[in-house]
Structures are given as C-alpha cells and as structure tokens.
Amino acid sequence: MMQCFHFMVEPAKSLTAKIKESHKKAKKDRTEPLNDDQLFVVDLARDLSRVCQRSAVLEHIWNLEDTWPTLLCRAFILQWASVLETKTRPMQTDGWPETVEGKLPDLINEQDLLQAKARILNWVKDLRAQPEQSVWPGEPVAKVLEDLQSAWRWGRVPYLLTAMELLMWTLVLQRPDKDTIPQQWLTWKQRSQNIGAISYVPQPVWNWISDAAVEVTLDLDSANPDLLISGDEKKMRCGFERKDVPNHHQRFDGWWCAVGAEGLGPGRYYWEVEVGERDWRLGVAKESALRKGFKSLNTNTGYLTLRLERGTELKALTVPFTALPPGLIPRKVGVYLDYDNGQLSFYDVDKHFHIYTYNESFTEKLFPLFGTVEIVKDLVIRSPAAKTQCLCSTSCLWG
C-alpha cells in the first residue's frame, strides 16, 4: 500500500523540506531590524496568543517567522483602531467599520497612526488583565486557524493576516455564539475592501460558500441568436451564423449574452464557470434590466458583472469601470450571491482567492449572466467539485 503512495509521499517530503528551508532562510537573511509598526503587530500577536486558546498559529508572527511589510502593518493598525472605535456595533450590516479610504498606507499622516496605536493599546490593557488561555474562539474559528497555519507553511498564504483578524473579531465581539464568526468575517472583509480582499479563502470558509451551490442552466429564450448552446444548456460559444429564433423581449440581440433560466431572490447562491482566455463577462442582471441593443451592461443599466477584454483587461463594470489587477485574471470563476447581505462576489476557484465584490441592497430578482465572443472555446457552467474525505492529518496538502 505504501508503495502506491510513494510517488506522492517523496515529492511531498522534498517540498516540505524546501518550504521549511525557505522560512529559515527568510528569517536568517533579514538583516534590517523591525520598525515600530512591525514591532507593534508582533507585540499584539503575542498578546492575542496569550489569551486565546488554539492560537498557536500566531507564534509564527511573534517568533518573527512571518514578518509583515510596513504598509500591511499600517493598514492593519488603522483598520482595527476603527473597529475598536465602533466596537459596540461591529457586525451591523449598516455600520461595519471600513478600511481607511482616500489614503494610501504609505501616505497616512503619522499623527493618525499614533492615535490608532493608542486606541489599540488602550484595548490591550484590558486584554492583558485576562487569564492566560481564557478565551475559547469557537470550533469554526479554530478549524480556520488550523487551515491557515497549514496553508502558510505550504506557501499558499503570504501572511497570517486572516488569523489575526479572526482572533481580533473573537475578542471584540465577546458573544457566546461564535459559530458564525468566519462567515461574518468574510462578509465584513468583502465590504471593507471590494478588490482582492482575501489572498486565500480558508478551506472551511470555502466549503461554506460552496454549500450554497445551485444548478444553473442557460435560458434559451434569452440567448443572443449568434450563440450556440449545448443540449444540457450549460455550455455556450459564438457561432458563425445567426439563428432564426423568436425575438422575445427578454432576448439579447446585441451583446453575445444569455441569462440563467431561474431568477434568484433572498438566500445564498453559488455557481462556477470555466471561461475563455480572450473575452467574457459574468455576473447578474436585474429583472428590470433591458437586454436589447448594445447599451453598456453596467451598474447604471442593472448589471453587476466582471468582464475580461483582449485577454489582459479585467474590469468590474461600475460607472466608471473599475480596472482590476492582471494578477486576478482567473480561468475558472466562482460566483457567490449573498442576496440578504447585499453582496455579489467573484473568486478564482483554482487559487481560492477573492477577485471582486459588489455591495448594494437588492430589491428584485437577479438572473445569472453569461457572455462570450469565443468561437472555439466554450464558456461552461460547472457544478462545484464535491467535497471528499482527505487522508491528510490537517489541511489538505494537495489543495
């Protein structure tokens, strides 16, 4: 039996050794001393770890194995000072603390930073009065922390920022029911930073998103006549001849698009799409949105979408459009609609990172939207991969 797994075990051992050596080398090679902002985060991690159970992951921060860049430290300090300032209502959907907008971290006024540190230190005084290991974060948070530690060791997480955030939320909330903290963290994170908010969505949180999976099929009566739709109504691409079909009011006759057969209302929904490499658009269309002609499909006309143009330009079609970094361009997109919390989010399925989130209040049915101009490669609606039992003792080593 062991011989069957030899081809996996040996490369895994080699990779583990390389990663450990990389972490050791990074620590050894760091010759510059930590600055005040970095030391502040290190001390805070030590304080959190002292009080919280199952928080061993933070040892990597205060042992200086996970050293954050100064800009990341500053952004974290300012954001959490804002959280603590409004901690009497941190999870209200209409009043969550936001990240500091209008200022880049390296341009932030030093006085603002000093005030933020003072606010956090005032909170830490109460924290230090608590007995060691006196706070239980809840099993869901503990599982996420374990996954983050494994992902960091394997190089899938650049910094343990999420671990710090989850434990901060646990202490700030001070609620007996902690089972939904990871989900609340996700919603807050995507509301406070709508572009690339999460470099790695922890596996337990990803599983929760995937639990909202729905079967989506294309509505033939909405499809542009130039589109070729597969028999199972899950694949589409552009054809060479325009089909002679009834000109329904709900049919796209300009843009090469189609919507899903079912409109979506209150609740959570998730679907995945394999996209082309040149030009595509995904998202939702409001029930009242017009579909005729070539009027821009953006937030002003009832569409919340991402679009890739010319293979290199990824955009959120806001008004004006929001350009997204080329590094966020996916090949398989997860679309997650949380209707009740007013969020439509897009993820890279293969890498488990967040791409973009629309935040607004929904009042009408939303239809999944699909668009492509590819004539060779199909745009394909996929069912999310089924969860399988892994043999790894902690987080899966194989992604």
Side-chain angles (χ1 to χ4, degrees):
M1 182 69 175
M2 288 303 296
Q3 289 180 342
C4 296
F5 288 95
H6 182 75
F7 75 98
M8 293 191 299
V9 172
E10 290 305 316
K13 287 181 179 178
S14 175
L15 181 57
T16 301
K18 288 180 180 179
I19 292 173
K20 287 182 177 179
E21 186 62 30
S22 175
H23 287 316
K24 289 179 181 177
K25 187 175 185 298
K27 184 177 178 181
K28 183 179 179 181
D29 288 349
R30 183 174 47 78
T31 56
E32 294 184 7
L34 298 185
N35 59 42
D36 289 344
D37 301 326
Q38 292 171 314
L39 287 171
F40 187 91
V41 170
V42 168
D43 290 339
L44 181 59
R46 185 181 289 107
D47 286 321
L48 297 178
S49 182
R50 187 191 69 82
V51 172
C52 290
Q53 301 174 35
R54 302 279 288 274
S55 59
V57 62
L58 297 191
E59 292 182 13
H60 299 297
I61 299 176
W62 53 265
N63 282 337
L64 308 186
E65 297 169 338
D66 176 38
T67 303
W68 300 2
T70 300
L71 298 186
L72 182 60
C73 293
R74 289 183 163 213
F76 176 84
I77 292 167
L78 287 163
Q79 184 173 48
W80 280 96
S82 175
V83 171
L84 294 172
E85 188 176 17
T86 58
K87 70 175 184 177
T88 56
R89 52 179 178 83
M91 301 308 292
Q92 294 176 5
T93 56
D94 60 346
W96 288 13
E98 305 286 336
T99 50
V100 177
E101 295 185 2
K103 295 181 181 179
L104 294 173
D106 55 338
L107 299 178
I108 290 169
N109 185 287
E110 290 296 327
Q111 187 62 32
D112 292 341
L113 197 60
L114 288 173
Q115 291 175 356
K117 289 179 180 179
R119 188 172 294 120
I120 294 175
L121 286 174
N122 188 53
W123 175 75
V124 168
K125 287 180 182 178
D126 295 332
L127 189 67
R128 288 173 178 168
Q130 297 189 41
E132 291 187 13
Q133 301 295 290
S134 59
V135 176
W136 168 240
E139 191 62 28
V141 171
K143 287 185 177 297
V144 172
L145 294 177
E146 290 177 2
D147 179 75
L148 287 169
Q149 179 160 326
S150 177
W152 178 80
R153 285 172 172 167
W154 284 82
R156 297 189 70 180
V157 178
Y159 306 106
L160 292 169
L161 173 69
T162 296
M164 288 279 282
E165 289 178 335
L166 285 168
L167 288 172
M168 289 285 284
W169 270 127
T170 300
L171 292 164
V172 169
L173 284 176
Q174 297 180 345
R175 292 179 181 176
D177 180 14
K178 300 172 180 175
D179 289 349
T180 61
I181 286 179
Q183 293 94 305
Q184 292 173 327
W185 163 81
L186 176 74
T187 305
W188 165 74
K189 191 73 176 175
Q190 294 175 159
R191 180 170 283 114
S192 61
Q193 182 182 342
N194 60 352
I195 301 174
I198 308 167
S199 61
Y200 167 76
V201 178
Q203 190 63 48
V205 179
W206 189 267
N207 290 344
W208 178 76
I209 294 172
S210 300
D211 285 342
V214 291
E215 286 295 325
V216 177
T217 55
L218 297 167
D219 177 11
L220 297 182
D221 289 338
S222 73
N224 185 295
D226 291 335
L227 291 173
L228 298 177
I229 309 294
S230 64
D232 64 359
E233 299 171 358
K234 285 180 171 288
K235 301 176 183 177
M236 61 182 251
R237 57 184 168 87
C238 280
F240 293 100
E241 295 184 4
R242 194 172 183 84
K243 297 190 294 295
D244 184 13
V245 293
N247 188 23
H248 299 296
H249 74 279
Q250 69 266 37
R251 188 183 301 283
F252 290 92
D253 60 4
W255 297 108
W256 296 274
C257 294
V259 297
E262 299 292 333
L264 308 176
R268 298 191 308 120
Y269 310 89
Y270 177 73
W271 59 97
E272 294 180 354
V273 188
E274 289 182 8
V275 292
E277 298 179 359
R278 295 294 304 167
D279 194 306
W280 51 261
R281 72 175 80 221
L282 294 174
V284 298
K286 295 180 179 180
E287 187 173 31
S288 60
L290 296 178
R291 303 178 185 176
K292 298 297 184 182
F294 283 99
K295 193 169 184 178
S296 295
L297 306 185
N298 56 36
T299 49
N300 278 357
T301 56
Y303 293 87
L304 283 68
T305 62
L306 289 190
R307 183 177 181 187
L308 179 69
E309 295 183 75
R310 291 177 284 277
T312 58
E313 300 174 20
L314 185 63
K315 304 173 181 177
L317 296 186
T318 52
V319 179
F321 71 82
T322 302
L324 303 178
L328 295 180
I329 296 175
R331 288 292 170 258
K332 189 174 184 181
V333 183
V335 185
Y336 173 55
L337 171 63
D338 186 343
Y339 191 102
D340 301 324
N341 279 316
Q343 290 193 336
L344 177 71
S345 301
F346 301 85
Y347 307 93
D348 185 309
V349 173
D350 296 325
K351 298 178 181 177
H352 279 209
F353 64 60
H354 171 257
I355 300 172
Y356 187 82
T357 292
Y358 284 95
N359 288 282
E360 70 168 75
S361 297
F362 301 128
T363 58
E364 57 183 296
K365 281 188 175 180
L366 303 174
F367 289 81
L369 177 78
F370 310 89
T372 184
V373 298
E374 300 267 358
I375 60 175
V376 176
K377 183 177 175 59
D378 287 329
L379 183 148
V380 184
I381 305 170
R382 295 286 190 192
S383 299
K387 291 181 237 177
T388 57
Q389 186 64 38
C390 181
L391 299 177
C392 300
S393 58
T394 56
S395 301
C396 180
L397 305 180
W398 307 103

